[in-house]
Amino acid sequence: MNELHYQLDLLKAMNQKLTERERMYTKVCESAEGAFLYCSLEKKQLSALGQWREFFDFEVRETKDFSKILDVVEEQYVLSLREVLFLEKLGEESGSAECRLRGKKVWLQFRTQVYYDREHNPTDKVICIYNVTRLKSQNEELTFMAYYDGLTGLYNRNYFVRLLSEYVRNAGEKNSVVSVMIIDIDEFRKVNDGLGIIVGDELVQQFGLFLKEICEDNVIACHLHTDVFCVAIFEPSGNRNVDSIYKAILNRTKDAFHISSGQDIHITVSIGVAEYPQASRSALELINCAEIVVFKCKNQGKNMLQYFDTPVLTDFLDSIELENKLKKAVFNRDFYMCYQPQYYAGNRRLRGVEALIRWKDEDSRLISPATFIPVAEKNGSIITIGSWVVEESVKQYAAWRKQFGFPFIMSINISALQYKRGDFVDSLVEVLKRYQVSPSEIELEITESVLIDDFRAVSERLKVLRGYGIRISLDDFGTGFSSLSYLKKLPIDTLKIDKSFIDTVMTDSATRVITESIINMVKSLGFESIAEGVEEAQQYEYLHAIGCDVIQGYLFSKPLSPQEFETVLNGAV
């Protein structure tokens, strides 16, 4: 009798323990952000747990009830979802599918895990269901930003260059022609200065929408920058040629553009045309040649179309003179370095500096890097200049580190040509060893142009650099497709938000939305964000409020000579 009581007490205790454990599992599932289905394949029974009622308004108890789930998703997702729900029929252990619900903008992700016995007979399966609508929306937004210009809806610059490169390659194979038109709105600065940036942006937007309407097969367009657009035509013929597009533009510009604030704005445009293969045999050079012709149009009175030809080159003797001066400067090392401090937005402590090259010609005139760097990249002297910048910056940093004992980050700009050299990594590491500088205190700034030709090779080299401990920063972030569509694949530490965003972030709501999205995305990926070109206190306060990590710009400091920066270091120690 005592034995029987003992067995009963034991069963009660075990039952209570099972009940408590079941309650625990139920509570855990209910607190999770998802719904769960447990399926006993032997009994063909279903149990719904978690947030089931947040997803569906029906119950499921048997395996045949899976049809209810299939009935509420859109038709094109039924087959893929059916495979995931009945994964045991394929003999697989796990799988997933994403589906949109009928008549709703709701995306669900289904993940199935099937359990088998020793004979590989399916016994149980668990299906986890999550709401991924927000993630889908973010991905769609990023996809748009990756390929399209946010203001006009046309292709952005970098993606357009990729498409144009394909045009050029195909034209080379087919012995065909590619026409490139650079379209520049005349006197656009007067619109911005007189009516405001917002009106100027709407004018650009309307003109971009017009260009989008005239694009068709083998005709593409992009918003190159500010008020400049580019159109490319593959195998121009019939109504798909420069003349027909020019006539369409003239017809449109006869009428005013009606701005939402009430203004009617009449515009004219200057257009430069360059054609493959006559003008050039590369996409970027075609664009450059067309831009050269636009400059000529502007100088000759605007409101016209001209083609690139040999005489146009004579208008650029100044450029040739500049190139000759640059060659002498490279030979004589007639450059010097400045350093612009970067500060943490929160406590305004020094984060580091960006090393910036400067050049005074033989007449003691300061030549802007924006002027001579493109020339150096074109003639290849950027390799020599870049090597000098690396050497000079690392040497200077080593001296400061020894003198002040204060660690900070030295950011050095690396050109695409310099980065792609096979000996680049070894040369850089050798310089760091020579001056006994820790790789973790050096940051290389690369631009999206580095990524255009061979993303895989570029990414592998970045991994090698990161392996040494060198920091990687993606410069001019947000201006092209690469920093977005390939962002998650890049081994980087820092992203610099382009100055063009900062310039209008306080006046343009669209820019604010994009800037906030970028910073939130950067934080979620674990990267550091730097805003460059910050010149106003209002910009700084806004960027700090939305979580930007580092501030760089004239508000805190202009680029400084080494002696001037030592004063900053004295205050930072």
Side-chain angles (χ1 to χ4, degrees):
M1 193 68 176
N2 290 335
E3 178 66 21
L4 180 60
H5 282 299
Y6 171 76
Q7 293 293 338
L8 288 173
D9 290 341
L10 182 60
L11 287 172
K12 287 180 181 179
M14 292 176 64
N15 185 56
Q16 183 179 1
K17 188 174 182 180
L18 287 172
T19 302
E20 291 176 352
R21 185 168 294 180
E22 181 180 351
R23 183 171 60 186
M24 178 185 70
Y25 291 152
T26 300
K27 293 298 182 184
V28 169
C29 290
E30 288 177 350
S31 64
E33 295 184 356
F36 305 90
L37 283 176
Y38 167 72
C39 178
S40 172
L41 295 174
E42 295 172 342
K43 298 179 181 180
K44 297 185 178 180
Q45 292 179 346
L46 291 178
S47 298
L49 300 170
Q51 306 295 326
W52 179 264
R53 280 297 181 182
E54 298 292 327
F55 294 87
F56 306 107
D57 58 1
F58 53 83
E59 298 289 343
V60 290
R61 293 185 176 86
E62 301 176 275
T63 54
K64 65 180 183 180
D65 291 334
F66 278 130
S67 61
K68 296 179 181 179
I69 301 176
L70 295 172
D71 288 340
V72 298
V73 303
E74 292 188 355
E75 185 66 29
Q76 64 264 39
Y77 306 110
V78 170
L79 290 178
S80 59
L81 179 56
R82 186 190 302 276
E83 285 188 359
V84 170
L85 293 181
F86 298 98
L87 205 60
E88 68 277 7
K89 294 184 179 181
L90 301 175
E92 297 180 5
E93 293 184 357
S94 62
S96 66
E98 291 182 354
C99 313
R100 188 164 58 188
L101 298 183
R102 289 181 185 270
K104 299 180 181 179
K105 295 182 179 179
V106 176
W107 284 86
L108 300 182
Q109 183 185 68
F110 293 78
R111 298 180 187 172
T112 299
Q113 181 71 45
V114 182
Y115 299 89
Y116 296 85
D117 60 19
R118 292 182 177 179
E119 286 73 35
H120 201 68
N121 296 313
T123 58
D124 309 88
K125 66 180 173 183
V126 175
I127 301 171
C128 306
I129 307 167
Y130 302 100
N131 189 327
V132 293
T133 305
R134 180 180 298 179
L135 181 61
K136 276 286 186 179
S137 298
Q138 291 174 345
N139 287 341
E140 289 174 0
E141 180 182 353
L142 290 176
T143 298
F144 180 83
M145 294 171 65
Y147 299 104
Y148 298 94
D149 172 63
L151 181 62
T152 63
L154 297 172
Y155 290 128
N156 62 36
R157 180 175 60 231
N158 279 5
Y159 188 57
F160 178 85
V161 171
R162 287 178 68 94
L163 294 177
L164 179 57
S165 297
E166 282 297 305
Y167 275 10
V168 169
R169 185 182 64 80
N170 291 336
E173 294 175 354
K174 296 181 179 181
N175 196 25
S176 186
V177 174
V178 177
S179 298
V180 172
M181 305 171 66
I182 295 291
I183 305 164
D184 191 328
I185 299 176
D186 296 328
E187 307 292 348
F188 181 74
R189 184 173 180 178
K190 292 182 179 179
V191 177
N192 268 351
D193 292 346
L195 301 176
I197 295 174
I198 294 177
V199 172
D201 282 351
E202 187 172 349
L203 175 62
V204 168
Q205 184 180 58
Q206 289 194 26
F207 190 78
L209 290 174
F210 157 72
L211 288 181
K212 192 173 183 178
E213 291 175 357
I214 65 175
C215 289
E216 52 182 292
D217 291 341
N218 293 336
V219 179
I220 56 175
C222 84
H223 181 204
L224 205 58
H225 57 82
T226 318
D227 62 323
V228 181
F229 300 83
C230 189
V231 173
I233 311 164
F234 179 71
E235 292 185 323
S237 61
N239 292 326
R240 285 189 301 100
N241 57 40
V242 170
D243 289 340
S244 61
I245 291 177
Y246 182 48
K247 288 177 182 178
I249 293 173
L250 290 179
N251 287 333
R252 177 61 187 89
T253 54
K254 286 179 182 177
D255 300 323
F257 287 84
H258 304 290
I259 306 301
S260 58
S261 54
Q263 296 96 333
D264 285 345
I265 301 177
H266 288 271
I267 65 168
T268 60
V269 296
S270 297
I271 301 177
V273 180
E275 293 189 326
Y276 171 90
Q278 289 83 1
S280 175
R281 293 181 175 269
S282 78
L284 289 176
E285 288 187 5
L286 276 174
I287 293 174
N288 290 338
C289 290
E291 284 184 315
I292 289 173
V293 185
V294 167
F295 296 147
K296 181 179 179 181
C297 291
K298 294 286 189 181
N299 292 333
Q300 292 184 345
K302 309 180 181 69
N303 191 24
M304 65 179 70
L305 177 145
Q306 287 195 13
Y307 282 79
F308 181 91
D309 54 21
T310 303
V312 170
L313 296 176
T314 60
D315 296 332
F316 285 84
L317 291 176
D318 288 343
S319 297
I320 297 174
E321 182 183 0
L322 174 65
E323 187 169 355
N324 289 332
K325 287 184 176 180
L326 181 60
K327 289 178 181 178
K328 292 181 182 178
V330 170
F331 182 81
N332 296 324
R333 298 291 194 270
D334 292 334
F335 303 102
Y336 64 96
M337 299 299 297
C338 287
Y339 302 89
Q340 187 170 31
Q342 301 167 334
Y343 294 91
Y344 290 110
N347 55 23
R348 301 195 183 191
R349 288 179 60 84
L350 181 69
R351 182 253 191 193
V353 291
E354 179 181 358
L356 300 168
I357 188 171
R358 295 292 184 261
W359 172 35
K360 281 186 178 180
D361 67 9
E362 53 196 15
D363 299 319
S364 296
R365 292 180 302 181
L366 185 64
I367 309 297
S368 169
T371 299
F372 73 82
I373 291 297
V375 176
E377 289 179 334
K378 187 175 181 180
N379 64 20
S381 60
I382 190 65
I383 303 297
T384 304
I385 294 173
S387 298
W388 179 85
V389 168
V390 169
E391 179 95 17
E392 191 70 15
S393 302
V394 172
K395 180 172 68 174
Q396 180 64 78
Y397 179 82
W400 282 332
R401 192 75 166 83
K402 182 177 180 181
Q403 180 179 354
F404 295 95
F406 180 77
F408 57 93
I409 295 173
M410 172 68 75
S411 295
I412 305 172
N413 290 281
I414 304 297
S415 75
L417 291 177
Q418 184 182 2
Y419 178 82
K420 292 174 184 177
R421 284 180 62 91
D423 62 348
F424 171 72
V425 175
D426 292 339
S427 298
L428 174 62
V429 172
E430 193 278 327
V431 171
L432 296 178
K433 289 180 178 178
R434 187 187 316 147
Y435 293 103
Q436 299 181 340
V437 171
S438 171
S440 63
E441 294 170 354
I442 298 298
E443 184 176 74
L444 301 184
E445 293 194 13
I446 62 171
T447 61
E448 295 178 356
S449 61
V450 172
L451 308 172
I452 290 177
D453 293 334
D454 191 343
F455 176 84
R456 180 177 296 179
V458 168
S459 183
E460 289 302 317
R461 187 164 295 179
L462 290 179
K463 290 178 182 177
V464 173
L465 291 167
R466 285 282 302 280
Y468 282 105
I470 297 168
R471 298 173 58 89
I472 305 296
S473 173
L474 186 61
D475 200 6
D476 300 334
F477 178 63
T479 60
F481 80 99
S482 299
S483 59
L484 295 167
S485 61
Y486 294 127
L487 183 58
K488 63 182 180 180
K489 301 178 184 178
L490 286 175
I492 58 178
D493 304 279
T494 307
L495 291 99
K496 297 192 76 172
I497 302 172
D498 188 66
K499 184 179 184 297
S500 61
F501 284 85
I502 308 305
D503 289 342
T504 60
V505 74
M506 302 309 302
T507 58
D508 180 26
S509 59
T511 301
R512 287 197 297 275
V513 170
I514 294 174
T515 303
E516 291 176 15
S517 297
I518 290 174
I519 289 178
N520 288 333
M521 179 179 62
V522 169
K523 280 189 174 298
S524 68
L525 292 172
F527 302 148
E528 187 179 47
S529 57
I530 298 180
E532 58 181 345
V534 179
E535 299 178 356
E536 300 171 6
Q538 192 177 12
Q539 292 172 338
Y540 159 70
E541 291 168 359
Y542 168 75
L543 291 165
H544 182 208
I546 64 175
C548 184
D549 297 313
V550 180
I551 302 298
Q552 178 180 345
Y554 274 57
L555 175 65
F556 285 177
S557 177
K558 66 178 182 178
L560 305 174
S561 68
Q563 294 75 24
E564 291 172 328
F565 183 64
E566 288 175 5
T567 303
V568 174
L569 286 176
N570 274 319
V573 173

